[in-house]
Amino acid sequence: MSFRSVSVALLAAAVTVTAGCAVTAGVISSDISAAEARVAVLETRLHAAEATAAGATSALDDAEAKAASMRLVLDERPAFVDAVAKAEKALKVAGKLDVKADRAKVLAAQEKVRAETLDPEVVKTATRDVLAVAKSVNARVAEEKKRAAARTPAGVLAEFRATLDAIGGEWVNVTFFDGWCGGKKVNGCNFSATDIRITKALGNERPSVRRWVAYHELAHSYQRLVWSDIYTSPVFKSLFRSNIELLANCMAYSQGSPREGHHCSDRQIRWAANIYDGRVPKKG
Amino acid sequence: MEQQQQQHWPSRLAHLTLITALAGATATAAVVGGIVVAELRTGLDETLTAEQQLTAELAEAERGQVLVKVSTVDAEKVIADLREQLASYEGFLE
C-alpha cells in the first residue's frame, strides 16, 4: 500500500468521523431543542394549571367558609322558631288587648331572620326580641285577667275587703249598695263606723281609685269614733273649713293612699293623721 | 540509483508526517466528537427527564384542579340547599 493510499484513507476516515460526529451532534441538538420547546410548553401549562388550582382552592375555601357560617345561622333557627311559637301563643290568648305593635315586632324579627344568612348573632338578637314580646304580652294578659277578676262583683268585694284588712280596717264590714249616699250617687259610702258600702261599678275604676275609696271610707269610720270632737274643733273649722270629706282625704293621704281626691297641705295631713289614734289636737 | 533513492527520502518523510497528522486528526476528531456527542446525549437525557417530570406534575395539577372543581360544585350545592332552608317560613308567624 502506498503512502498516498494510506493518506487518502486516513483523510477519508477523519472526514467521516468528523462528519459522523457533526451529524449525530446535529440530530441530538435538534432533539434537545424539540424537547426544550416541549418543556417550555409544559412549564407554561403547569403554571397556568397551578394558578387555576390556586384560584379554585380559594373559591372552595370561600364556599366552605360561607357554608359553615350558614350552618351556624341555621343552628340558631330552632330557638327562634320556638320563641315565635311562644309569641304566637301569647298573641292568641291576648283577647281584646291591642297587640298590633307586638305582632309587628315579631313579623319584623322574622324578616330579619329570613334575610340573614351569615351572622348568627342577628338570629340570637331576634330570638331575644321575640321572647321579650311574648313575655310582655303574657304579662299584660295576666294583668288584664286580674283586672277582669276584680271587675266581677265577688272580685270587687274581695279586693276591697283585702285592702281594708291591709290598711287597718279589719273591724269594718263591707257590703254592696245601690250607690245612693246622702242624696248623691257615689261608688262608696260610710254608713257607720263599722258599715262601709260600695257599688259593683267600683270595679270599673282604676286600681288606684279603688284603693283610694277604701282609704277614704275607712277614714270616715275613724272620724266617727271621735265625731263630736271633730265637729267642735276650731282647727277642723279653720284648717279644713269644716269639710269632712277633705279631712277624710287628708287622713287617707297620711296613711299612704293614692292621691285621687282633694289636695291636702302637709299641715292638714299632719293634723289629720291624729284622728287614727283617736286624738283631735287643739292646735293645727 | 543511490542518488535516486536519496532523492525519495524527503518525500517519504513528508508522507509519514502527513499520515501521522491525518491519523492524529482522525483520532482527535473521534475523541472530541465522541465527547461532544456524549455531552449532548446527557443534555438530551436531562431535558427528557425534566419533560417527564413536568408531564407528571401537570397531570397531578390537572387532577387536583378537577378535584377542587368537583368539591367547589359540591360546596355550592350545599350552599344552595342551606340558602333554601334559611329562606323557609316554616314555624313563622303568618
Side-chain angles (χ1 to χ4, degrees):
Chain A
M1 189 180 281
S2 68
F3 282 121
R4 184 175 296 234
S5 301
V6 171
S7 298
V8 168
L10 280 172
L11 184 63
V15 168
T16 304
V17 166
T18 305
C21 285
V23 167
T24 306
V27 169
I28 294 172
S29 291
S30 172
D31 287 350
I32 288 174
S33 296
E36 280 175 347
R38 291 198 302 275
V39 164
V41 169
L42 281 170
E43 278 177 343
T44 306
R45 283 179 62 192
L46 182 59
H47 286 147
E50 282 172 349
T52 308
T57 304
S58 173
L60 176 60
D61 289 347
D62 288 350
E64 283 175 347
K66 193 174 181 182
S69 295
M70 290 171 97
R71 279 196 194 93
L72 287 176
V73 172
L74 257 185
D75 287 348
E76 293 300 327
R77 188 62 80 90
F80 178 75
V81 168
D82 189 47
V84 168
K86 283 178 181 160
E88 189 173 18
K89 194 175 166 189
L91 292 171
K92 271 183 186 164
V93 299
K96 289 177 185 173
L97 275 180
D98 183 5
V99 289
K100 276 182 203 156
D102 302 276
R103 176 176 284 275
K105 276 183 192 168
V106 175
L107 293 176
Q110 285 185 169
E111 285 313 306
K112 275 186 193 166
V113 168
R114 251 193 110 233
E116 186 53 54
T117 58
L118 297 175
D119 187 358
E121 284 305 315
V122 170
V123 185
K124 283 182 187 172
T125 304
T127 303
R128 282 195 291 271
D129 291 348
V130 171
L131 284 175
V133 168
K135 193 177 173 188
S136 163
V137 172
N138 282 334
R140 274 148 53 209
V141 167
E143 183 62 30
E144 180 54 30
K145 272 185 185 168
K146 210 170 153 187
R147 260 191 234 125
R151 281 196 292 269
T152 64
V156 171
L157 201 60
E159 185 193 68
F160 202 89
R161 176 74 266 164
T163 306
L164 282 180
D165 291 349
I167 62 174
E170 306 91 335
W171 51 281
V172 181
N173 295 316
V174 57
T175 52
F176 281 128
F177 80 128
D178 59 6
W180 286 106
C181 177
K184 283 199 291 185
K185 263 287 203 185
V186 289
N187 276 329
C189 190
N190 189 296
F191 283 82
S192 76
T194 57
D195 183 10
I196 290 175
R197 297 182 196 176
I198 57 172
T199 63
K200 290 171 185 171
L202 181 62
N204 297 325
E205 297 292 345
R206 284 178 285 115
S208 63
V209 171
R210 298 201 296 269
R211 282 183 68 75
W212 166 71
V213 170
Y215 275 100
H216 179 94
E217 298 308 330
L218 182 62
H220 284 313
S221 290
Y222 279 98
Q223 286 171 352
R224 287 178 187 278
L225 300 179
V226 286
W227 203 244
S228 57
D229 292 346
I230 290 171
Y231 273 97
T232 56
S233 164
V235 180
F236 174 61
K237 279 179 191 161
S238 62
L239 196 57
F240 295 91
R241 297 180 305 281
S242 299
N243 185 340
I244 201 74
E245 299 301 329
L246 173 61
L247 176 59
N249 276 336
C250 298
M251 287 173 68
Y253 298 157
S254 76
Q255 302 302 300
S257 162
R259 300 204 172 202
E260 295 286 352
H262 307 85
H263 169 75
C264 294
S265 67
D266 290 345
R267 191 174 156 214
Q268 287 171 320
I269 291 171
R270 271 198 305 276
W271 192 85
N274 290 292
I275 310 296
Y276 288 100
D277 299 326
R279 290 188 287 114
V280 181
K282 290 197 165 60
K283 289 182 179 174
Chain B
M1 183 75 179
E2 196 172 312
Q3 195 180 0
Q4 209 171 18
Q5 275 180 339
Q6 280 174 349
Q7 281 174 346
H8 277 288
W9 270 112
S11 173
R12 277 186 187 173
L13 189 63
H15 273 123
L16 273 174
T17 305
L18 178 64
I19 286 166
T20 305
L22 284 171
T26 306
T28 303
V31 169
V32 170
I35 289 169
V36 168
V37 167
E39 280 186 2
L40 283 170
R41 275 194 199 288
T42 304
L44 177 61
D45 288 346
E46 283 173 0
T47 310
L48 289 174
T49 304
E51 185 186 5
Q52 279 179 348
Q53 279 178 352
L54 281 172
T55 305
E57 280 177 34
L58 180 62
E60 186 65 29
E62 283 175 344
R63 213 171 17 251
Q65 206 176 316
V66 169
L67 286 174
V68 169
K69 277 182 184 166
V70 168
S71 298
T72 306
V73 169
D74 287 348
E76 278 166 4
K77 277 181 193 163
V78 168
I79 286 173
D81 181 48
L82 288 168
R83 200 183 293 283
E84 201 172 308
Q85 289 182 55
L86 286 167
S88 166
Y89 273 114
E90 198 178 332
F92 279 24
L93 193 64
E94 285 178 14

